[in-house]
Amino acid sequence: MDQVPWSLFFDKYDHKYRGLNPPANVTSSLASNRGEPEDAYNKGSGYFWAMDPKGDDYFLIKFHTATAVQHVFVDTGSYQAGNDLLNDGVLQASFESAEESEAQLSSSDSCGNFETIGSFDGGKASLSLDESKKVICLRILVTQNQQAWIFFREIDVWQAVQRVTGAKRSRVRIVRDGPQKLISRGTGTQN
C-alpha cells in the first residue's frame, strides 16, 4: 500500500504565519477562479486563485497609512495546485517621500513610483526591508505570460518595531523564521 503524504491533509489553504498584516486595500488585475485578492492577505485560511496571468498583471496592497515594514513573505501554490506558482514575477514597493506623502495617502489609486525589491523563486518571495523607509504600497508584478494559473496562498507583512518612549511597558515584536510573538517587557508574559 502506498503511503499518502501528510502534506495532503495539513497543507489545505492554511496560512503558515497568519501574520498581523497592517490594514490595507487589496486589489488585483488578475481574473479570479476562486477567492478574492484580500483572502490571501487577511489572516486565516483564505486564498486567491487567479486565472490566465499575463505580463504586467498585478496584485496590489495599498496600506491605509504609510507603514514601516520589516519583512514580507509571499507564498504561491498548494498541494491542490502544485503547478500554479508565480514563475516570473517581482515584488515591488512604493515608499513615502516628504513631498508626496499627503497626496499619495489621500488618493485612492496613487501609490507613486515603484521600486523592485525582490523576485520570486519557486513561487515564493521572502525579504526584509529598510525599516527607516515607510511603505505606501506593495505590488506583486507578473513579468511574463504564463500558462499555469497562480494560487496566491498567503501574503504576510510584518511591521517594524516602533519604540515607545516614556511608557511603563512597551510591546516588542519578535520574529524568528515564523509567526510573530508578542512579549511584554518587564512582565515576562507572552501573548
Side-chain angles (χ1 to χ4, degrees):
M1 182 171 143
D2 290 336
Q3 296 238 345
V4 177
W6 284 104
S7 64
L8 288 180
F9 299 103
F10 295 105
D11 180 67
K12 190 173 182 173
Y13 320 134
D14 286 341
H15 290 190
K16 294 175 184 176
Y17 299 126
R18 292 189 176 126
L20 300 174
N21 291 340
N25 295 328
V26 182
T27 59
S28 180
S29 66
L30 293 151
S32 175
N33 174 50
R34 290 194 195 129
E36 298 297 327
E38 59 270 7
D39 295 338
Y41 181 75
N42 295 329
K43 67 180 185 173
S45 60
Y47 62 90
F48 174 52
W49 204 347
M51 304 184 296
D52 304 318
K54 305 284 186 250
D56 291 331
D57 275 337
Y58 64 87
F59 187 113
L60 181 69
I61 300 161
K62 182 171 178 29
F63 298 115
H64 291 178
T65 59
T67 303
V69 173
Q70 179 181 31
H71 193 81
V72 178
F73 173 75
V74 181
D75 193 8
T76 64
S78 79
Y79 85 90
Q80 179 181 344
N83 294 323
D84 291 357
L85 306 172
L86 177 52
N87 296 312
D88 294 299
V90 294
L91 184 60
Q92 299 180 319
S94 65
F95 297 99
E96 180 180 59
S97 66
E99 304 83 40
E100 302 171 335
S101 63
E102 283 187 36
Q104 287 171 320
L105 289 173
S106 63
S107 172
S108 62
D109 61 349
S110 176
C111 288
N113 297 321
F114 282 97
E115 296 177 27
T116 297
I117 57 174
S119 59
F120 281 76
D121 184 20
K124 295 179 181 8
S126 182
L127 58 121
S128 297
L129 278 74
D130 178 355
E131 297 173 19
S132 68
K133 297 168 106 180
K134 290 196 174 189
V135 177
I136 294 173
C137 299
L138 289 172
R139 179 170 68 183
I140 300 165
L141 184 67
V142 178
T143 55
Q144 292 185 12
N145 296 354
Q146 68 179 58
Q147 293 295 316
W149 294 358
I150 303 173
F151 188 101
F152 288 95
R153 174 181 174 157
E154 177 172 10
I155 300 169
D156 287 300
V157 177
W158 284 274
Q159 294 182 61
V161 175
Q162 295 193 356
R163 305 276 181 221
V164 178
T165 58
K168 290 183 181 180
R169 289 176 33 186
S170 63
R171 295 172 76 83
V172 178
R173 195 176 312 259
I174 308 293
V175 179
R176 289 196 183 108
D177 297 329
Q180 300 174 8
K181 275 187 184 174
L182 294 178
I183 300 174
S184 297
R185 280 195 203 171
T187 64
T189 59
Q190 293 186 2
N191 298 325

